[in-house]
Amino acid sequence: MEVILLERVEKLGRIGDVVKVKDGFARNYLLPNKKALRANDANRKVFEANRERLEAENASKRTDAEKESKGLEGVSVTLIRQASNTGQLYGSVAVRDIVDALVADSHKVNKAQVVLDKPIKSIGLYEVRVALHPEVSVTVKVNVARSPEEAEMQSQGVDVMAAMFEKDEAGFTEDYDPNAEPGATAEVQAESSEG
């Protein structure tokens, strides 16, 4: 199906572009969300008559989004979650969790604006894109940790999982004597060499 775009759609085109899309995408997303019109002669005339108004509205929305983006630039949110010893979360961090954290931090963001490529399933620092407008997006840091202390360490650049495993490895190690008889401990070996 051919449609005329009423706003910029990522990976598709800009205002006024006539693009060919799959019927389902047009019927289920573009047309109901007023992002496009069917490309026929009547709609082309309607679009051309309203083109200046649509472009002016888009420009004002973009400037509003740019103002908002300055408030969101460099923002970091911390999410405390339960996780296993290997750092795997019991569950995952979804878009809703990030939106709730940003709203609690007094930022106006809705679910449709947060672009999460894949769910977050382990502790660590993540960069998540927030698209405030089709032409304006910001990156927000999401710090997922098991405790506020761990979150603080991660924000300072410490790899919490690596640090935890380093502690485990620095435990008790037994001296190895290549001349020892099989099964003999270091103490037994020392007594037999004295006698």
Side-chain angles (χ1 to χ4, degrees):
M1 176 188 299
E2 284 200 339
V3 294
I4 305 167
L5 296 179
L6 298 177
E7 65 178 62
R8 183 177 178 276
V9 179
E10 202 168 336
K11 297 179 184 165
L12 206 55
R14 297 190 315 269
I15 295 177
D17 288 357
V18 177
V19 292
K20 193 170 181 69
V21 294
K22 293 195 170 161
D23 293 358
F25 184 57
R27 273 197 305 268
N28 298 329
Y29 179 70
L30 295 174
L31 299 174
N33 291 325
K34 310 261 187 283
K35 292 181 184 289
L37 291 171
R38 288 176 191 267
N40 57 33
D41 291 337
N43 283 344
R44 280 192 179 95
K45 287 177 185 155
V46 168
F47 174 75
E48 286 306 325
N50 295 323
R51 185 181 200 120
E52 285 180 19
R53 183 180 57 80
L54 288 168
E55 286 177 351
E57 281 176 12
N58 182 56
S60 73
K61 284 179 187 173
R62 186 175 56 233
T63 50
D64 291 347
E66 284 168 353
K67 285 177 193 163
E68 275 183 54
S69 74
K70 289 189 176 39
L72 262 177
E73 192 70 51
V75 165
S76 177
V77 292
T78 302
L79 299 172
I80 305 300
R81 292 286 184 271
Q82 291 185 331
S84 69
N85 290 340
T86 58
Q88 293 299 309
L89 297 179
Y90 299 131
S92 64
V93 173
V95 169
R96 185 183 63 238
D97 302 320
I98 296 168
V99 170
D100 292 347
L102 287 168
V103 168
D105 203 20
S106 69
H107 296 288
K108 286 185 193 170
V109 178
N110 63 42
K111 253 172 77 171
Q113 293 173 323
V114 176
V115 182
L116 193 60
D117 298 327
K118 57 183 187 290
I120 297 172
K121 295 189 175 201
S122 60
I123 65 172
L125 284 170
Y126 297 90
E127 290 193 345
V128 177
R129 196 163 66 89
V130 179
L132 299 170
H133 180 271
E135 297 166 34
V136 180
S137 64
V138 214
T139 303
V140 173
K141 282 191 175 67
V142 178
N143 187 345
V144 183
R146 288 177 290 199
S147 67
E149 295 78 26
E150 217 173 61
E152 183 62 33
M153 285 170 64
Q154 281 183 164
S155 66
Q156 291 169 359
V158 177
D159 184 352
V160 175
M161 294 315 297
M164 188 171 81
F165 285 118
E166 280 172 19
K167 284 179 203 162
D168 290 353
E169 288 166 8
F172 173 74
T173 54
E174 190 174 338
D175 292 332
Y176 174 69
D177 181 2
N179 301 326
E181 292 176 28
T185 61
E187 293 85 34
V188 172
Q189 199 65 31
E191 285 170 16
S192 62
S193 62
E194 287 170 9

